[in-house]
Each structure stands twice: as C-alpha cells, then as structure tokens.
Amino acid sequence: MNPCASQAPIGVFDSGIGGLSVLRALQAELPHERFVYLADTGHAPYGERGDAFVIARSLAIAGWLCGAQGIKALVVACNTATAAAVHALRQQHPGLIVVGVEPALKPAVAATRTGRIGVMATRGTLASAKFAQLLQSLHGQADFALQACDGLADAIEQAAAPGPAADDSQSALKIEALCARYTSAMGPFGTQAGAVDTLVLGCTHYVFARDVLRRLVGPGVQLVDTGAPVARHTRRRLAQAGLLAPGDGPGALRLFSTGDPARLHAAAARWLQAGVDAAEAVALPTGDSPGCVSPNPDQAPA
C-alpha cells in the first residue's frame, strides 16, 4: 500500500451548495482529513434533469477529482446524483471508495410513532429506480407522503448568492413560500393519530431550510437528514481500507465551483464551522476520463 495514500483528500460533490450540509458532518466526524468540495452550480439543478444528464456530469466530476485532485474516496453529496449515477461511478472507478446518500427513510421508520412519514425530495430522486427499491424494501412499515419540491433547491442556491439585503429578504420569502406549499400538500403534521410526525429532508439542500421547516411543522415533528450517517459510513469505509488520515494532522478544505465561486464561498463561510479560503472556478471536460486507482478494492454499496 502506498504510505501516502491515507493523506490523499476525500472528494465531495453536489449540484450546488446543498452538499455542504454533508461536508459539515464529514468534517465533524473526520477532523483530520483533507476535503475537496466541488459545486456543479454551472449545471444545476440536477433534480429536474434527466438521468443521462446527471450521469454525464457525475462521471465528469469524478474523473476530474481523481485526475486533478488525486482523491482516495468520493462522497456523492447529492440524492439525485446518487440515485441516477452511483452505479455508473462505481463501474467507472472500480478501485475507489464511493459513498452515496439516499433519503433517510429507514431512520424515519425507526423514529415515527404515528406511522406516517413525510418525504421532501427532488422530482428526480422520487422518480428513480433506486428510490423505488428503497421504498419497496419498507413496504408495510409506514405510510409515506411523498412530495416533489420543484424549485426549492434552486431557491436555496439563490439565497446563498452574495447580494444586497433586499435580495436576501426576497430569497427568504421565496424559500418560506415554497416550504409552506410543500408541507401543506403532505397533510397535517403533529403527534396525533394519522398525522405526519417525521419529515425526511430528502435533498441535501433542504437541511439549510431546517429552521423554516421547523416553524411550519411544529416542535413535535422530527426532521431527519442523512449527513451524520453518511459521515459515519465514510469513516468505516476508510478505516476498513486503512486509509484514515493520521490523527495528528490538521484538516483542510479546498472549494471549487463550475459556476460563481463567490456564491460557494459565501455559503461555506456561513454554514461550515471552520474558516474557509476563497472558492476557485473550474471548467470540467465532459468526455470519458480514466478511473481512479486505489488500494481499496471493496465495492460494498453505500
């Protein structure tokens, strides 16, 4: 095994800034690791695109993270990209640890008391075969109210853009209105019989609307996301492969965006606990790229 392999960075990507919610959990779980985060803002949102588009973008991003950044693991911090492309990523990069995310339906089933669970997600995630399989695996264990939240991820993206106070106010109002529309469509929330008592945030962007959602659904409803479980799973995979960074080194982070890097930097400065350097702009090739070579051959699914 290459003794330097453990010091290689972990790649994390999303269609935009939503994956920062997963990155935040990863940094808390793995404080000594180096991370490279790429926001594909120039091609967002993924949730309302077709699978072919999302697969092509995911492969291009993974190829760049492997070739230009030398990553030892890849975290797909996007539910839509995981649903559409995680199998293609594992096939293209057979030696790389690839960890995906999925709506936290299983933890929600364990948490619910009324047996009714709300799921907010993108249209692409809800329409995917991967989500259908997950839902089928839980058949009979709970009643799920599924809600496609068109425009919400994009509204959260827009709210992260630097701008005057008036723009911030308008963005906040738009997020509030969309959240109100989609929670209302799922029916009553609460702890009474027949009400939704557990709400799954099935897009990594939606974590950044948690405070709004909490006001709308009330204090008795549990909000469930995937950040912490994904971070713990990533740690386990790295430990199994002998690729955890030495415990005495400082962590580090580099930020890249295919869109406006100032937006990514503003969001990271707001939502990540540690200070962040300026984000860098990057243009990615869209053709096939060589696979990563890693000392870990294990390809167990995330």
Side-chain angles (χ1 to χ4, degrees):
M1 182 180 296
N2 183 349
C4 296
S6 64
Q7 299 180 33
I10 299 168
V12 184
F13 84 89
D14 181 32
S15 63
I17 55 91
L20 292 173
S21 63
V22 176
L23 176 61
R24 182 169 62 186
L26 286 164
Q27 287 183 311
E29 183 71 24
L30 298 161
H32 304 292
E33 295 287 350
R34 296 167 55 212
F35 293 96
V36 177
Y37 182 91
L38 189 142
D40 196 20
T41 313
H43 300 86
Y46 284 179
E48 294 153 45
R49 304 270 199 168
D51 282 358
F53 177 89
V54 176
I55 291 169
R57 291 307 304 162
S58 298
L59 291 175
I61 291 166
W64 181 81
L65 287 169
C66 286
Q69 301 298 320
I71 61 171
K72 64 183 178 183
L74 176 67
V75 178
V76 185
C78 173
N79 289 274
T80 302
T82 297
V86 75
H87 295 303
L89 288 167
R90 289 179 175 137
Q91 184 176 25
Q92 182 82 1
H93 303 283
L96 181 68
I97 295 172
V98 178
V99 176
V101 299
E102 65 181 18
L105 268 59
K106 294 176 185 177
V109 167
T112 184
R113 294 295 175 265
T114 65
R116 185 161 173 78
I117 297 167
V119 182
M120 298 176 66
T122 67
R123 192 167 297 276
T125 293
L126 295 180
S128 69
K130 194 172 190 297
F131 181 80
Q133 292 168 0
L134 174 62
L135 197 62
Q136 180 59 35
S137 73
L138 299 169
H139 179 70
Q141 298 184 40
D143 180 24
F144 295 95
L146 308 181
Q147 181 59 49
C149 299
D150 294 343
L152 182 54
D154 190 54
I156 293 168
E157 285 282 334
Q158 296 302 321
D167 289 348
D168 292 345
S169 177
Q170 285 298 111
S171 295
L173 288 172
K174 184 174 182 180
I175 291 170
E176 181 104 25
L178 288 169
C179 287
R181 179 196 305 172
Y182 295 135
T183 52
S184 294
M186 283 183 280
F189 285 82
T191 56
Q192 67 273 27
V196 174
D197 73 341
T198 306
L199 179 60
V200 175
L201 308 185
C203 171
T204 54
H205 282 77
Y206 302 167
V207 176
F208 297 126
R210 178 184 285 271
D211 290 345
V212 174
L213 291 166
R214 170 59 65 209
R215 289 197 302 272
L216 289 168
V217 303
V221 175
Q222 301 184 71
L223 304 182
V224 184
D225 66 79
T226 59
V230 166
R232 291 192 295 269
H233 183 69
T234 302
R235 169 182 277 280
R236 287 194 296 269
R237 293 292 303 278
L238 290 169
Q240 290 165 1
L243 290 175
L244 284 171
D248 55 353
L253 171 64
R254 294 186 71 185
L255 300 168
F256 294 91
S257 175
T258 62
D260 179 8
R263 176 183 297 180
L264 175 59
H265 179 259
R270 176 181 177 184
W271 287 319
L272 299 182
Q273 295 178 354
V276 296
D277 294 331
E280 303 171 53
V282 62
L284 304 183
T286 55
D288 293 339
S289 28
C292 289
V293 177
S294 164
N296 175 43
D298 176 27
Q299 282 300 296

